[in-house]
Amino acid sequence: MMHFKFSPKILQRLGEELIPNPDQGIIELVKNSYDADATECTVELIKTSAIGGLIIISDNGVGMDKDAISEGWLVLGRSKKAIREVTQLGRLPVGNKGLGRLAALQMGSQVFLKTRPKYEPGVEYSLTINWDDFQEADVVEDVAFDVQKSSTDKRYGTDIIVSNLKKTFNKRDIQRLAKELLLLADPFDNHAGFSLKLIAPEFSEIEKQVNNAYFDDAEYHLQASINEFGIAEARLLDWQKNVIFHAKHSAISQQELYKTPRTEFELWVFFLNPQTFSARKTSVSFTQVREWLAQVGNVRLYHRGLRVKPYGDSDDDWLNLNYARARNPEVRPSTKTVIGRVIVNDPDDILLQKTDRLGFIENEAFLELKRFAIDVLEWMAKERLKVTETQRQRIKKQVPRDLTEAKARIEEVIEAEVPQESRPKVLEAVQQYETVTERETKVLREDLQLYRSLATAGTTAAVFAHESAKPVTSIAKIAKRIEKKGKEILKEKYEQYFGEPVRKLYQVSKSLQRFSNFPLHLLKREKRRAGVVDVHSVLDDIVALFQSFFEEGEIQVIKEKIDTKPCIYGSEALLEAIITNLLTNAINAFNVEGGRIEERQVIIRTETEGTNLKIKVLDNGSGIHNIKLDEIWLPGTTTREDGTGLGLTIVRDSVTDLGGSVDAIAKGELGGAEFIVELTLIIE
């Protein structure tokens, strides 16, 4: 009789390809502790900054006897968890193939297992795996293990020591691992009763950042659920915990019942601006909340008590929050302004994790789960939009009535209080005021049409930017795959044939990523709120945002800033509009036919003159020509064939809105165009 036999290389390939990074391997071993009913699990990293370090994972779970080791822990591709028996603590096991453990154990060249079964007090079983033994074997079955039994005074539980690590852990790796461990069992509402600890200096710092909960400072709290029949329900609470919207299934979903397990969805939405926090008289600053959300923001998915990656990672927008925000920024949150969790128990194994343990297979149940969450977010946005639109329409209808009443009141006062001989002059002055007001209204209407067109172009660009992030990420992943396989196959010849092209792919991917972030950065809602604006901070942010453009154009940017911290009153959005368009103008000055090719330079300078601040943007391009200087501000006027002629119009209008002035010099200090923006400083 013959049987399948497996080469030891299969073990190596499974270990390398199942787990993409070291911290994910450790998470897999921690999940085993959870399945063993542990309430505490500790991960210790020893000398992992260099090759050859070791990792110790210890827990207080039920441990394993000899049969459990032989028929469970050492069996690959099948797990006793597949039976789905509920543990004594009421947990449903989260693993299903036993392969994640293999990948994690192969992080080092040797594994030492020590386990003390709960139902055999005073007994400890130990086992050593030397992966080098498999290199000398023809098939996996040739390597046997000897399980040792000894007495112990330790409490039940399991220790796994993975030694002689093949990879190192730098500070960033440890910080990422700390964050993954802290978020694994939902630290904000841990019904799982599973405490995790990482013995590393970075852990306490990350733990403090994660555990600082600011839920009471959220603007909205969304609560939604699907019951056992697939019927959805949702409610939205304001910051005072009042229910402002409530909906049953038919108002949330336009389709049939959700074909997915019982699910709970909670989301906290924050308005990250000083005005919101100061209005509530809270001791918490929006800066604290923003830093907290930088660590824990986004919506994560918890399955059977533990988090499933990659949903909710910093680069994973699985519910399309940012895409929806780009389409409608007024009523949509982003991954940086929310914290949320989708919780599903799934006792019938409807949701199936992928073999590499990263995410679920996109079967009907998972797609229905995702549809539910997106439908609820859509419902929330529509309800908020209805309120906003109702208020806007009410004001639009009320304004003409208010104007009519105000005019009538003025006439009454004139009739009652102004002497007969003075009335013609007063009425003439009122008429003159009405004429000027009507003229201003007409100008505002024209501006409104112009900026609606610009808003349409901007939001469209943001949508394209968001969608481009997916193929851009794919470019980087493909480049990494080519690099890895190329080095394996070509070895020393890799650099000759593929080194430079792959580096170019990485460079292009990085540049495209920066470009795609550009419009999303500029469209942030909170920047449009009026307040005190730190000018240098805005300048630094915009220059950093433009860095890829400068690098592509080989343009040297010099910032000459005064030593003080100049502040103005207005909005970040207006100042950003000014600087963005002036820098765009400077970049375009180099791209004209016959433009400067070498030693391109742009200077951004701040100066003070009395109570005023001057912001100067200079370049050494060809200057302003083929157009009158007083015509450059007119909408639609441009000297470039592909230009819109709106950039400098936006600059002029934005400066005017900030109560300042702007001037231009055709041939400035550097030989190219020079723009001078003058604004009023806030004097402290």
Side-chain angles (χ1 to χ4, degrees):
M1 186 176 292
M2 296 184 181
H3 304 277
F4 275 118
K5 296 181 181 180
F6 294 94
S7 165
K9 289 185 178 179
I10 294 294
L11 294 177
Q12 183 180 354
R13 289 197 61 183
L14 284 172
E16 290 177 350
E17 297 182 12
L18 282 180
I19 301 299
N21 52 56
D23 51 281
Q24 187 61 23
I26 294 173
I27 294 295
E28 288 303 314
L29 294 179
V30 171
K31 287 181 178 179
N32 283 348
S33 297
Y34 177 82
D35 289 337
D37 264 356
T39 58
E40 297 176 3
C41 181
T42 301
V43 177
E44 186 173 3
L45 306 180
I46 301 175
K47 296 181 180 179
T48 54
S49 59
I51 298 293
L54 59 93
I55 302 170
I56 303 174
I57 295 99
S58 306
D59 68 53
N60 65 346
V62 296
M64 294 178 282
D65 58 22
K66 194 170 183 178
D67 286 342
I69 296 172
S70 175
E71 300 303 319
W73 200 77
L74 288 174
V75 176
L76 304 176
R78 171 180 64 83
S79 173
K80 284 194 172 182
K81 292 180 242 182
I83 302 171
R84 292 295 176 228
E85 294 179 354
V86 178
T87 68
Q88 287 191 349
L89 292 183
R91 297 174 182 171
L92 276 169
V94 295
N96 58 7
K97 295 183 178 67
L99 294 175
R101 176 174 63 252
L102 168 65
L105 297 178
Q106 287 204 97
M107 292 168 60
S109 63
Q110 187 178 71
V111 178
F112 188 42
L113 169 71
K114 294 190 293 184
T115 182
R116 300 167 294 281
K118 182 176 182 179
Y119 303 107
E120 292 185 44
V123 174
E124 180 176 85
Y125 294 98
S126 59
L127 168 70
T128 301
I129 301 175
N130 287 302
W131 294 112
D132 291 342
D133 293 344
F134 289 90
Q135 302 299 321
E136 301 173 4
D138 292 327
V139 293
V140 171
E141 292 86 344
D142 289 344
V143 180
F145 299 111
D146 183 20
V147 178
Q148 302 290 328
K149 180 179 180 181
S150 59
S151 58
T152 181
D153 57 358
K154 291 184 178 180
R155 199 174 179 222
Y156 54 84
T158 299
D159 305 321
I160 297 175
I161 303 169
V162 183
S163 62
N164 196 18
L165 295 180
K166 303 169 187 175
K167 295 183 179 180
T168 61
F169 283 74
N170 56 35
K171 184 176 181 180
R172 187 175 178 181
D173 293 329
I174 296 173
Q175 288 176 332
R176 185 175 64 240
L177 174 61
K179 184 176 174 180
E180 293 294 340
L181 289 171
L182 285 165
L183 294 174
L184 181 63
D186 191 1
F188 311 114
D189 190 14
N190 191 353
H191 296 309
F194 187 48
S195 173
L196 289 161
K197 185 175 183 181
L198 172 67
I199 299 179
E202 291 81 2
F203 183 76
S204 57
E205 177 186 343
I206 301 294
E207 183 179 32
K208 183 179 179 181
Q209 290 177 328
V210 169
N211 288 342
N212 279 336
Y214 298 108
F215 295 105
D216 289 341
D217 297 291
E219 191 72 18
Y220 297 108
H221 180 195
L222 174 68
Q223 300 172 335
S225 62
I226 306 174
N227 66 14
E228 63 271 28
F229 305 110
I231 299 173
E233 185 175 359
R235 57 174 53 86
L236 187 67
L237 289 70
D238 64 16
W239 66 279
Q240 294 175 310
K241 297 180 174 56
N242 299 314
V243 177
I244 51 178
F245 306 124
H246 177 248
K248 295 285 187 177
H249 186 93
S250 58
I252 298 168
S253 174
Q254 302 300 316
Q255 299 180 36
E256 299 176 357
L257 303 178
Y258 295 101
K259 300 178 180 65
T260 197
R262 290 185 61 168
T263 303
E264 293 180 13
F265 177 25
E266 275 196 289
L267 186 80
W268 289 264
V269 182
F270 294 82
F271 284 0
L272 296 181
N273 58 74
Q275 292 81 6
T276 297
F277 285 81
S278 61
R280 296 188 191 160
K281 299 179 181 179
T282 175
S283 60
V284 175
S285 71
F286 84 100
T287 304
Q288 289 173 285
V289 178
R290 183 171 59 189
E291 291 173 353
W292 175 64
L293 287 173
Q295 291 291 337
V296 300
N298 212 335
V299 181
R300 292 175 180 82
L301 175 56
Y302 288 87
H303 183 243
R304 294 183 176 142
L306 295 185
R307 185 188 163 214
V308 180
K309 281 179 66 67
Y311 310 115
D313 281 352
S314 58
D315 58 350
D316 183 81
D317 185 13
W318 70 292
L319 296 181
N320 298 322
L321 290 173
N322 295 331
Y323 174 75
R325 180 176 173 80
R327 288 189 292 121
N328 198 341
E330 292 298 327
V331 294
R332 298 280 190 169
S334 74
T335 54
K336 300 294 185 184
T337 61
V338 301
I339 178 172
R341 57 192 178 212
V342 176
I343 304 170
V344 57
N345 201 30
D346 187 26
D348 299 320
D349 274 340
I350 297 175
L351 297 170
L352 305 173
Q353 275 202 289
K354 297 177 182 177
T355 303
D356 64 3
R357 317 291 284 147
L358 287 177
F360 288 111
I361 295 171
E362 295 197 352
N363 59 11
E364 182 184 39
F366 176 74
L367 293 176
E368 286 287 283
L369 174 70
K370 186 174 177 179
R371 178 172 73 89
F372 157 69
I374 292 175
D375 284 351
V376 169
L377 291 170
E378 188 74 21
W379 166 79
M380 178 178 71
K382 285 180 179 177
E383 293 301 317
R384 289 181 59 198
L385 188 60
K386 285 178 188 176
V387 172
T388 302
E389 191 60 27
T390 300
Q391 291 174 343
R392 185 182 297 148
Q393 293 301 323
R394 186 174 68 246
I395 291 171
K396 285 175 69 175
K397 290 179 181 178
Q398 186 64 35
V399 165
R401 289 198 292 267
D402 290 346
L403 285 172
T404 301
E405 291 175 5
K407 186 176 179 180
R409 176 62 180 155
I410 290 173
E411 291 173 352
E412 289 176 7
V413 171
I414 292 173
E415 185 74 25
E417 304 294 337
V418 177
Q420 184 72 36
E421 63 274 11
S422 301
R423 288 177 190 175
K425 290 184 179 179
V426 174
L427 289 170
E428 182 183 354
V430 171
Q431 182 63 44
Q432 185 179 7
Y433 173 77
E434 288 179 352
T435 302
V436 172
T437 303
E438 287 175 7
R439 192 188 312 152
E440 181 187 33
T441 302
K442 183 181 178 183
V443 171
L444 288 173
R445 286 200 187 103
E446 292 173 352
D447 278 354
L448 179 62
Q449 292 182 40
L450 170 64
Y451 284 99
R452 276 179 177 164
S453 298
L454 290 173
T456 301
T459 51
T460 302
V463 171
F464 280 114
H466 179 270
E467 285 300 287
S468 69
K470 297 174 183 176
V472 167
T473 303
S474 296
I475 292 173
K477 289 181 178 178
I478 291 168
K480 188 174 182 180
R481 181 77 173 170
I482 293 172
E483 182 180 28
K484 181 180 178 182
K485 290 299 179 183
K487 287 180 177 178
E488 286 179 7
I489 298 169
L490 298 176
K491 298 188 178 353
E492 66 275 0
K493 291 185 178 181
Y494 165 81
E495 188 62 33
Q496 178 184 351
Y497 292 105
F498 290 104
E500 186 60 26
V502 170
R503 279 193 291 274
K504 284 284 186 184
L505 280 175
Y506 280 128
Q507 184 180 349
V508 168
S509 173
K510 188 176 180 182
S511 294
L512 287 173
Q513 189 70 51
R514 288 176 179 171
F515 295 158
S516 67
N517 288 335
F518 194 89
L520 298 175
H521 174 87
L522 295 176
L523 282 173
K524 290 182 178 177
R525 177 186 181 184
E526 61 269 16
K527 296 182 179 182
R528 300 196 293 276
R529 298 183 184 275
V532 177
V533 179
D534 181 345
V535 174
H536 283 172
S537 176
V538 173
L539 289 178
D540 290 340
D541 286 347
I542 293 296
V543 170
L545 199 63
F546 267 87
Q547 195 56 45
S548 292
F549 295 92
F550 294 138
E551 290 173 359
E552 290 288 321
E554 297 182 354
I555 301 170
Q556 180 191 16
V557 181
I558 300 172
K559 290 184 287 185
E560 298 178 354
K561 300 187 294 186
I562 55 176
D563 294 335
T564 57
K565 180 183 176 181
C567 292
I568 62 169
Y569 185 82
S571 70
E572 285 187 34
L574 285 174
L575 186 57
E576 281 189 346
I578 295 166
I579 305 304
T580 297
N581 281 290
L582 290 180
L583 289 180
T584 301
N585 207 64
I587 292 171
N588 288 332
F590 295 116
N591 295 330
V592 298
E593 186 176 349
R596 177 186 287 270
I597 297 175
E598 298 179 346
E599 298 181 355
R600 296 175 170 182
Q601 192 177 85
V602 172
I603 293 179
I604 304 170
R605 180 183 297 158
T606 56
E607 301 172 352
T608 54
E609 188 175 288
T611 59
N612 289 344
L613 171 73
K614 288 186 177 182
I615 305 172
K616 297 183 178 181
V617 178
L618 314 82
D619 65 67
N620 63 349
S622 53
I624 301 172
H625 53 86
N626 298 329
I627 187 172
K628 293 180 180 179
L629 205 56
D630 61 348
E631 293 180 358
I632 63 174
W633 314 105
L634 299 176
T637 304
T638 179
T639 58
R640 292 171 50 235
E641 289 185 8
D642 58 346
T644 64
L646 297 175
L648 292 179
T649 303
I650 295 171
V651 170
R652 180 202 61 192
D653 291 352
S654 299
V655 171
T656 301
D657 289 346
L658 289 173
S661 63
V662 60
D663 199 5
I665 302 173
K667 294 280 185 180
E669 179 183 324
L670 297 183
E674 180 173 336
F675 291 89
I676 305 101
V677 175
E678 194 162 347
L679 303 169
T680 303
L681 282 166
I682 294 177
I683 306 299
E684 297 181 357

